[in-house]
Amino acid sequence: MKKLKVAELFAGIGAWSKALEKLNIDHEVVEAIEFDEKTMHSYNLIHNSDFKSKDITLINPSEFPDHDLLFYSPPCQAFSVAGKQEGFDDSKGRGMLFFEALKVIQAKKPKYAIMENVKGLTQKKFQFEFETMLQLLEQEGYNNYWKVLNAADYGIAHHRERVFIVSIRKDIEQNFMFPGKENEFTSLSDLLEPHVDEKYYLSEVACLRLNTIDKRAKDKGLGFKNIFVNIHINDNGEFYEQESQLFLNLDANFFKGPDGKRTMINVIPDSISQSEYSGLRMPTPLECLRLMGFEDKDYFKLKLNNISNSQIYKMSGNSIVVNVVEKILKQLIPQYIKSSEALSIHN
């Protein structure tokens, strides 16, 4: 089997490439486009590459390297409930960046293309934008399959819903089915660090501030805004959950600290002997990367090269859950996967 040639647009820290690596797919990333210099640097550290940050609007699609598989994840703010939801009319131009990816597809005609974006893109408010994307891809000669997938259904304790569009060039005789849901996921407590610096714990003032935010939201009829997950710690210093829990709302603004809309971890000791590790805290940068399916070695590569915690929070929140991409690729290109398990999967 010939080595798979891959390109990533809006690459982030390379969740797509990480999935290829974890599946042991023989591949070469021929190009990775990422505008932010710090993020591109982190991508290179994780994947041992040497790409330069680039503005996708300034590249010449005809000069783009040939490739078999294109990954692209245009900025989501134009369609996200966390943004102004301006769609194609986004004041900063982010809603139109899909068309920059389309130019590459038009010029290079890869066998496969996979797009990821927020669930909001599929809502009625953006029906025109979403249908336009699908129609243009179809006109370029692709059969398209799309579905909203939740990371919690694919082996990780993280509620994160995203839409994926899988495009297969029409001359390739292949049907595609999205992976079915899995019944079990890694416990949230298994993803947590046993002992973390006290700086991650919320002060009494910060806790009072969260309560004030809750009260204001409740007075406005908005319900509770704070999101807590309760994790217990026993006398042996081991975390456990009394019932399965999911982490919610890991976003790119975690570096700004708690604001009443992000998940906090509530550590509850079984006895006074463990009280020093109790209280309400933020997830650590390492925990955030774990929640996105990255490996601990990726975190240590970043920290050994002086990548700040705030940058890791930001990049984690902007990334894609690697586990989900792995499951899609197992369905889409099992012929490229070296493991016997993957080779047994057929479309």
Side-chain angles (χ1 to χ4, degrees), residues 61-113:
S62 64
E63 297 177 358
F64 200 87
D66 293 336
H67 54 281
D68 305 301
L69 174 58
L70 178 71
F71 296 119
Y72 61 114
S73 183
C76 64
Q77 293 92 336
F79 310 104
S80 172
V81 294
K84 295 183 179 180
Q85 294 191 300
E86 295 173 321
F88 285 161
D89 297 323
D90 179 71
S91 56
K92 296 184 178 180
R94 295 166 296 191
M96 297 294 286
L97 289 176
F98 162 82
F99 296 98
E100 300 300 327
L102 184 67
K103 291 176 185 177
V104 174
I105 293 172
Q106 289 171 326
K108 309 311 295 187
K109 289 294 194 294
K111 295 176 182 177
Y112 307 98

Side-chain angles (χ1 to χ4, degrees), residues 63-298:
E63 297 177 358
F64 200 87
D66 293 336
H67 54 281
D68 305 301
L69 174 58
L70 178 71
F71 296 119
Y72 61 114
S73 183
C76 64
Q77 293 92 336
F79 310 104
S80 172
V81 294
K84 295 183 179 180
Q85 294 191 300
E86 295 173 321
F88 285 161
D89 297 323
D90 179 71
S91 56
K92 296 184 178 180
R94 295 166 296 191
M96 297 294 286
L97 289 176
F98 162 82
F99 296 98
E100 300 300 327
L102 184 67
K103 291 176 185 177
V104 174
I105 293 172
Q106 289 171 326
K108 309 311 295 187
K109 289 294 194 294
K111 295 176 182 177
Y112 307 98
I114 307 178
M115 173 179 154
E116 178 266 2
N117 214 285
V118 290
K119 177 183 177 181
L121 179 59
T122 67
Q123 296 175 351
K124 187 176 180 180
K125 178 180 179 68
F126 300 116
Q127 181 177 352
F128 170 75
E129 284 87 344
F130 192 53
E131 290 183 353
T132 297
M133 293 177 182
L134 293 173
Q135 289 170 6
L136 290 173
L137 288 166
E138 199 276 335
Q139 288 174 18
E140 290 304 319
Y142 288 85
N143 291 318
N144 301 296
Y145 308 81
W146 70 270
K147 190 172 184 179
V148 173
L149 303 180
N150 188 344
D153 295 325
Y154 301 100
I156 197 160
H158 187 180
H159 178 86
R160 190 177 181 89
E161 293 180 300
R162 295 294 185 268
V163 61
F164 290 84
I165 302 174
V166 174
S167 303
I168 303 176
R169 210 172 60 200
K170 289 183 179 180
D171 64 307
I172 299 172
E173 294 184 5
Q174 179 179 350
N175 293 318
F176 176 76
M177 291 182 62
F178 280 96
K181 296 180 180 180
E182 298 180 356
N183 295 324
E184 297 181 358
F185 52 76
T186 301
S187 296
L188 181 58
S189 54
D190 290 339
L191 299 176
L192 303 182
E193 296 188 70
H195 306 300
V196 303
D197 193 288
E198 62 180 17
K199 68 183 179 182
Y200 294 106
Y201 283 86
L202 273 62
S203 67
E204 184 177 349
V205 172
C207 289
L208 289 172
R209 179 173 172 269
L210 289 183
N211 288 333
T212 300
I213 292 172
D214 258 354
K215 186 177 184 306
R216 288 174 180 170
K218 200 171 182 181
D219 290 344
K220 292 179 181 179
L222 300 175
F224 287 97
K225 286 290 184 181
N226 291 332
I227 307 168
F228 303 141
V229 290
N230 294 322
I231 301 295
H232 295 258
I233 185 169
N234 63 27
D235 288 345
N236 295 322
E238 300 167 330
F239 288 123
Y240 69 93
E241 301 162 62
Q242 291 186 336
E243 59 183 43
S244 296
Q245 295 184 91
L246 299 176
F247 196 90
L248 306 173
N249 206 28
L250 174 58
D251 65 23
N253 292 313
F254 248 113
F255 72 93
K256 297 178 180 178
D259 68 351
K261 293 180 285 188
R262 303 185 184 100
T263 304
M264 297 292 113
I265 299 164
N266 188 25
V267 182
I268 304 171
D270 280 354
S271 68
I272 193 66
S273 65
Q274 290 293 340
S275 61
E276 64 180 298
Y277 304 117
S278 66
L280 201 63
R281 70 169 177 85
M282 292 179 60
T284 67
L286 172 57
E287 290 167 345
C288 287
L289 282 174
R290 288 174 176 175
L291 284 161
M292 300 306 294
F294 284 83
E295 299 170 285
D296 287 8
K297 66 179 182 180
D298 303 318

